[in-house]
């Protein structure tokens, strides 16, 4: 069996007195498509942060692409991060920049500083950017100001930015939460297609349970910072999903 | 619009932390009353200390020469030769300001990034302690150059480089760069951090991530602030001329020495024109920015402003032209001679020594300097408030047409007065005042007050313009007359802001006491100037340290008072 792409061993994250994650064990094989579901505040975003190395685990070990975030030298961590693309709920694009620059921003990890600076004046690798934008369906928006695009288009730009990274794994943190349901389904389909085509691992946090249960192979349920279940889609029972959200419904306003 | 106010506040060294919860309103008003008493006492003590009412202040026999001087205003020297000289010197002053600003932007951009919390708070591994230490170190490095006035830097570099354009450029660029770095770092920290962290998560390097993720959103504000800095740089370039760095200020100093009144007026007019033009350009760019900000808040999206683009292109051309005009040659910076002078100066300055007066003398001087700044700011506060109300934009009341016209004239008149007051730098005001006053603390204080009135008046007028219109409308709807609206609506709302601006300007004024010291008004500035002229560098270092200490003390006091105002 191939080496796992992600290995979390008893990982915990604490912010002061608040425990965001505790005792998380998670192993991900290359090419898996995993949905992470759970009520808000369950620690989904924190988990994504731990996986891409922006949130430091306060206990346990995190190994991503064979690189231990706690022990590896920064250079090696960055090399791993370069192969992990993250898509965020609020897109996290720079609205003031043209689309081409926002897509090229995905290459910053492999570009030296001077090339990055030069590219802001004379965009580099335009052909590749155009081809990538074509792949996500907005090839005509190359020179538009990103802030002027619609929400769905902006999320496609964010996906294009991840694609030019040439990732082995895509992390998506509530990628469709700020889109209407129809746009949301389109984006999820696009992500799944792209990951299938290129054999890229996909891990998506989703608030929408229907969407998660639809087309992902494996579902991880999170509740108050702990793994409630971690099952093949086929083995998952409706009661388990209901139980995950039950607490939220009972105590909700 | 509000941008001048915003930048003034951002430059203040000590930003007051948010008010603590608890304590209750009675406790806070108690504190406020305490501060008010203390302020009144400080003003009275300072006024007495600087010799108000002692009788030996006004030089009556100088009134004649002052009248001669004023009479010369209508007949400035206008022959072709002198006009050509004035024009040349005007361009030189402009060039110094442009190059100084350019240098300050380079320092500001690098220092701003290194001084921002964003820069230090990213990365998976670096521990909290190390990050905090790095950030505090970057901030601390910027405090000293910011605490030393341009003129002191100018005097220092004159010793090192002799008369050379690099003196003015460095003297403006270094302290301005430190202030700019502080403001830039706060602007960067205010900017949304998410795109930046997203890029870091994708393995980007920090500098590249800053360039793509943080700078583009912050850029309009950075540019707006840069233009505000340029406006300030024109005044500094003129002052630096007075201490011998060339340009309009230098010619002014020469004309004052020979008392050629008609020449002085020509030069003053040139200075006013230059200053007003810079003022106008800068406020044009900044108000365009303020409009853009409002529009983007309304969700219309922010378009690229053609005015901004043209201004930037023109600025770039100016930088190239200025380099050529003054014949700037940066290689003197690493010439052996400059290094030798520099290291010689430093070795003579260390260890610092106390002057004849000993520690007590130093304390007395610090007290005098403090008194000068307090008298200056108290005067400027009163005068500024007086001018601010007519200088603010009139409300659309139900007034008569004649009354409205009168109001408009009052507005334009007071704005003009304020512009002239702040166009002429404090040392020139001090030289003028020396016609009718004996040298001492008071002429220095009055000179600072006159200049500061120009600045404070504008800040206060802007804040009156920006008052929330709704309560005022409500008062008018009750049938209140304009004067009642003013007493019940404008004054209570504007007063705390006026006091806050007064305090900000006090922080600036204590630094500027050095400037009037240079023309013979007492305090640490005068002593520093004497010491540098007499090659007593170890004494000068002590005075400088005292000055920086005093500046910091004033900053902290001002922050404490502002905190109680909230």
């Amino acid at each position: 069996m191939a080496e796992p792409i992600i290995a979390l061993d008893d990982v915990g994250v604490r912010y002061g007195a608040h425990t965001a994650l505790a005792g998380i064990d998670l192993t991900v094989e290359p090419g898996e498509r995993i949905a992470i579901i759970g009520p808000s505040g369950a620690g989904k975003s924190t988990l994504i942060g731990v996986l891409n190395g922006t949130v430091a685990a306060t206990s346990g070990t995190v190994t991503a692409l064979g690189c231990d975030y706690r022990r590896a030298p920064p250079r090696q961590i960055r090399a791993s991060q370069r192969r992990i693309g993250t898509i965020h709920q609020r897109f996290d694009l720079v609205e003031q920049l043209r689309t081409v620059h926002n897509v090229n921003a995905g290459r910053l990890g492999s570009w030296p500083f001077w090339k990055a600076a030069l590219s802001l004046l004379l965009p580099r690798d335009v052909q590749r950017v155009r081809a990538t934008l074509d792949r996500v369906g907005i090839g005509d928006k190359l020179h538009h100001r990103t802030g002027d695009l619609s929400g769905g288009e902006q999320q496609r730009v964010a996906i294009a930015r991840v694609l030019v990274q040439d990732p082995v794994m895509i992390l998506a943190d509530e990628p469709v939460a700020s889109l209407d349901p129809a746009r949301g389904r389109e984006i999820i389909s696009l992500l799944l297609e792209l990951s299938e085509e290129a054999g890229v691992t996909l891990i998506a946090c989703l608030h929408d349970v229907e969407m998660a249960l639809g087309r992902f192979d494996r579902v991880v349920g999170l509740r108050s910072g702990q793994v409630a279940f971690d099952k093949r889609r086929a083995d998952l029972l409706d009661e388990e999903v209901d139980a995950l959200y039950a607490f939220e419904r009972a105590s909700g306003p | 619009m509000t941008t001048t106010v915003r930048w003034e506040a951002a430059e203040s060294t000590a930003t007051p932390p948010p008010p603590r919860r608890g304590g209750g309103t009675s406790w806070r008003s108690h504190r406020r009353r305490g501060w008010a008493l203390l302020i009144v006492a400080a003003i009275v003590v300072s006024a007495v200390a600087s010799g108000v009412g002692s009788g030996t202040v006004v030089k009556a026999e100088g009134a004649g020469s002052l009248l001669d001087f004023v009479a010369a205003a209508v007949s400035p020297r206008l022959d072709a030769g002198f006009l050509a000289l004035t024009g040349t010197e005007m361009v030189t002053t402009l060039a110094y300001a442009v190059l100084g600003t350019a240098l300050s932007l380079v320092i500001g951009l690098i220092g701003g990034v290194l001084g921002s919390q964003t820069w230090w708070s990213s990365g998976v591994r670096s521990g909290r302690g190390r990050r905090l230490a790095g950030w505090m170190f970057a901030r601390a490095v910027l405090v000293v150059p910011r605490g030393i006035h341009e003129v002191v830097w100018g005097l220092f570099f004159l010793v090192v480089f002799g008369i050379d354009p690099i003196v003015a450029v460095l003297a403006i660029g270094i302290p301005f760069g430190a202030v700019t770095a502080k403001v830039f770092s706060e602007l960067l920290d205010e900017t949304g951090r998410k795109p930046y962290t997203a890029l870091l998560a994708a393995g980007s390097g920090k500098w590249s991530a800053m360039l793509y993720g943080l700078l583009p959103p912050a850029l309009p504000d950075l540019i707006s602030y840069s233009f505000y800095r340029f406006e300030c740089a024109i005044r500094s370039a003129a002052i630096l001329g007075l201490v011998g760095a060339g340009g309009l200020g230098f010619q002014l100093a020469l004309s004052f020495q020979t008392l050629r009144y008609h020449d002085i007026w020509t030069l003053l007019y040139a200075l006013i024109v230059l200053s007003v033009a810079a003022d106008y350009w800068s406020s044009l760019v900044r108000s365009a920015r303020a409009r853009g900000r409002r529009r983007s808040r309304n969700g219309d999206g922010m378009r690229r402003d053609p005015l901004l683009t043209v201004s930037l292109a023109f600025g770039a051309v100016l930088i190239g032209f200025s380099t050529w005009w003054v014949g700037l040659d940066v290689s003197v910076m690493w010439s052996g001679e400059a290094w030798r002078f520099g290291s010689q100066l430093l070795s003579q300055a260390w260890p610092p020594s106390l002057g004849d007066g000993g520690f007590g003398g130093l304390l007395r001087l610090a007290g005098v300097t403090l008194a000068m700044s307090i008298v200056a700011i108290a005067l400027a506060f009163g005068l500024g408030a007086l001018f601010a109300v007519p200088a603010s934009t009139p409300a659309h009341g139900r007034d008569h047409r004649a009354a409205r016209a009168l109001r408009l004239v009052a507005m334009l008149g007071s704005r003009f007065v304020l512009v002239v007051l702040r166009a002429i730098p404090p040392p020139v005001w001090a030289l003028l005042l020396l016609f009718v006053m004996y040298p001492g603390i008071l002429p220095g204080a009055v000179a600072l007050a006159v200049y500061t009135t120009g600045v404070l008046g504008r800040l206060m007028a802007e804040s009156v313009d920006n008052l929330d219109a709704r309560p005022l409308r409500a008062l008018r709807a009750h049938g209140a007359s304009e004067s009642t609206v003013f007493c019940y609506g404008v004054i209570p709302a504007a007063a705390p802001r006026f006091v806050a601006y007064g305090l900000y300007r006090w922080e600036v004024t204590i630094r500027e006491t050095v400037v009037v010291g240079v023309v013979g008004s007492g305090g640490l500035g005068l002593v520093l100037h004497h010491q540098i002229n007499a090659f007593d560098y170890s004494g000068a270092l002590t005075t400088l340290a005292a000055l920086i200490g005093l500046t910091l003390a004033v900053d902290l006091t001002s922050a404490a008072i502002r905190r109680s105002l909230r």
Side-chain angles (χ1 to χ4, degrees), chain A residues 52-54 56 69-72 77-78 81-82 88 92-94 96-97 101 105 108-109 113 116-117 119-120 145 148 165, chain B residues 123-125 194-209 211-214 216-217 301-304:
Chain A
N52 69 20
T54 47
Y69 280 155
R70 203 100 76 108
R71 297 218 189 85
I77 294 178
R78 273 184 53 195
Q81 286 181 323
R82 219 175 285 160
H88 305 266
D92 292 356
L93 297 167
V94 186
Q96 289 79 2
L97 289 180
H101 297 308
L108 292 182
F113 178 74
S119 176
L120 279 179
R145 192 176 158 279
D148 293 342
Q165 257 179 271
Chain B
V124 201
R125 281 154 39 96
K194 284 199 162 168
Y196 167 73
T197 33
L199 293 178
L200 285 184
S204 153
K206 274 187 178 185
W207 283 104
S208 300
L211 191 65
Y212 273 70
L214 216 51
M302 206 198 60
R303 299 258 122 239
R304 189 160 290 192

Side-chain angles (χ1 to χ4, degrees), chain B residues 133-207:
Chain B
W135 177 70
M136 300 233 303
F137 177 74
R139 280 297 178 98
V141 164
L142 293 173
V143 164
V144 171
R146 201 163 66 227
I148 301 175
H149 194 276
E150 299 95 271
V151 163
V152 180
W153 283 109
L155 292 172
F156 170 71
F157 287 126
L158 270 175
V159 175
V160 176
F161 296 112
I163 293 181
D164 191 288
I166 196 85
V167 170
V169 177
L170 289 178
I172 296 175
I174 291 176
F176 276 35
V179 179
T180 310
K182 195 223 166 211
V183 174
F184 275 14
S185 65
E186 271 157 28
L187 286 175
L188 288 176
D189 282 340
E190 275 174 30
T191 309
R193 207 184 281 188
K194 284 199 162 168
Y196 167 73
T197 33
L199 293 178
L200 285 184
S204 153
K206 274 187 178 185
W207 283 104

Side-chain angles (χ1 to χ4, degrees), chain B residues 109-482:
Chain B
L109 217 49
I110 298 171
V113 168
L114 291 178
S116 68
Q117 279 168 306
T118 310
W119 174 263
W120 292 102
S121 66
S122 42
V124 201
R125 281 154 39 96
S126 51
R128 246 183 91 77
R130 211 173 74 186
R131 285 186 220 153
L132 196 66
W135 177 70
M136 300 233 303
F137 177 74
R139 280 297 178 98
V141 164
L142 293 173
V143 164
V144 171
R146 201 163 66 227
I148 301 175
H149 194 276
E150 299 95 271
V151 163
V152 180
W153 283 109
L155 292 172
F156 170 71
F157 287 126
L158 270 175
V159 175
V160 176
F161 296 112
I163 293 181
D164 191 288
I166 196 85
V167 170
V169 177
L170 289 178
I172 296 175
I174 291 176
F176 276 35
V179 179
T180 310
K182 195 223 166 211
V183 174
F184 275 14
S185 65
E186 271 157 28
L187 286 175
L188 288 176
D189 282 340
E190 275 174 30
T191 309
R193 207 184 281 188
K194 284 199 162 168
Y196 167 73
T197 33
L199 293 178
L200 285 184
S204 153
K206 274 187 178 185
W207 283 104
S208 300
M210 280 268 172
L211 191 65
Y212 273 70
L214 216 51
L215 279 182
L219 200 60
D221 272 343
L222 301 186
I223 292 173
S224 158
Y225 180 72
S226 309
F227 275 93
Y228 172 66
R229 271 287 108 190
F230 170 65
E231 190 187 321
C232 304
I234 292 271
R235 286 168 208 143
S236 288
I239 297 178
L240 281 168
L242 286 174
V243 300
L248 273 183
F250 185 59
Q251 294 301 330
L252 261 176
L254 288 183
S255 302
F256 265 107
Q257 274 162 21
T258 49
L259 295 178
R260 271 180 273 165
Y261 298 152
H262 303 275
D263 297 16
I264 295 178
W265 275 107
T266 312
L267 294 164
L268 280 183
Y269 286 137
L271 187 56
I272 292 173
V273 166
L274 196 59
S275 186
V276 169
D279 221 287
Y280 183 69
W281 185 21
S282 145
S283 63
L284 211 61
V285 169
R286 288 182 291 125
S287 64
R289 170 63 196 133
R291 270 200 307 280
R293 183 204 297 279
R294 258 199 311 284
R295 229 179 310 146
S296 67
R297 249 206 310 266
N298 295 339
D300 301 347
M302 206 198 60
R303 299 258 122 239
R304 189 160 290 192
D305 203 308
L307 180 74
L308 211 63
T309 319
V310 170
S311 297
L312 278 182
F314 185 56
V317 171
L318 266 183
I319 292 175
F321 169 77
S322 304
T323 313
W324 168 78
W325 178 268
V326 300
L328 184 67
D329 178 14
V330 285
S331 70
V332 295
M333 274 168 63
W334 34 89
S335 73
E337 206 176 348
W339 278 103
R340 209 175 54 247
F341 278 126
S343 56
Q344 216 170 2
L345 192 153
L346 289 180
S347 70
Q348 281 171 18
W350 196 261
S353 71
L354 275 171
D356 305 331
F359 192 67
L362 196 67
L363 269 185
R364 203 188 55 78
L365 278 172
V368 165
T369 312
L370 189 66
M372 182 151 82
S373 76
I374 291 176
V375 170
I377 200 65
L379 264 177
F381 183 83
L383 288 173
L386 217 58
F387 276 110
V389 177
S392 63
T393 319
H396 299 289
R398 316 170 282 255
D399 304 344
H400 240 262
R401 185 174 299 172
R404 260 213 306 271
L406 202 67
R407 181 69 183 73
L408 201 68
V409 170
M411 177 189 90
L412 293 175
S414 1
R415 285 196 181 174
F416 177 73
V417 170
L418 290 176
V419 143
V420 171
L421 292 187
R422 64 174 182 266
I424 299 176
V428 176
W429 285 117
L431 286 171
L432 291 177
L433 285 166
L434 288 180
F435 280 131
V436 283
M437 292 170 100
Y438 288 106
I441 308 163
L442 206 56
V446 175
L448 282 172
V450 171
Y451 167 78
T452 309
T453 301
V455 182
L456 258 185
R458 168 164 83 161
L459 286 175
M460 289 169 168
E462 275 185 10
S463 86
V464 171
D465 282 347
N466 290 318
L467 283 183
D468 188 354
R470 283 167 300 184
L472 305 184
R473 258 205 310 275
L475 282 175
R476 282 197 195 97
H478 283 301
S481 69
E482 279 309 307

Side-chain angles (χ1 to χ4, degrees), chain A residues 231-246:
Chain A
K231 291 191 160 181
R232 303 270 114 208
R233 165 67 188 102
D235 305 337
L236 189 63
L237 305 172
D238 287 349
E239 296 86 84
E240 288 175 303
V241 177
D242 286 344
L244 191 64
Y245 289 92

Side-chain angles (χ1 to χ4, degrees), chain A residues 33 135-136 159-160 163 170 187-200:
Chain A
R33 275 173 288 284
R135 229 169 124 196
V136 298
I159 294 173
L163 289 181
I170 296 177
I187 293 289
I188 292 291
S189 303
L190 179 65
L191 279 175
L192 285 163
E193 275 163 33
L194 291 170
S195 85
E196 258 168 77
E197 263 172 44
V200 175

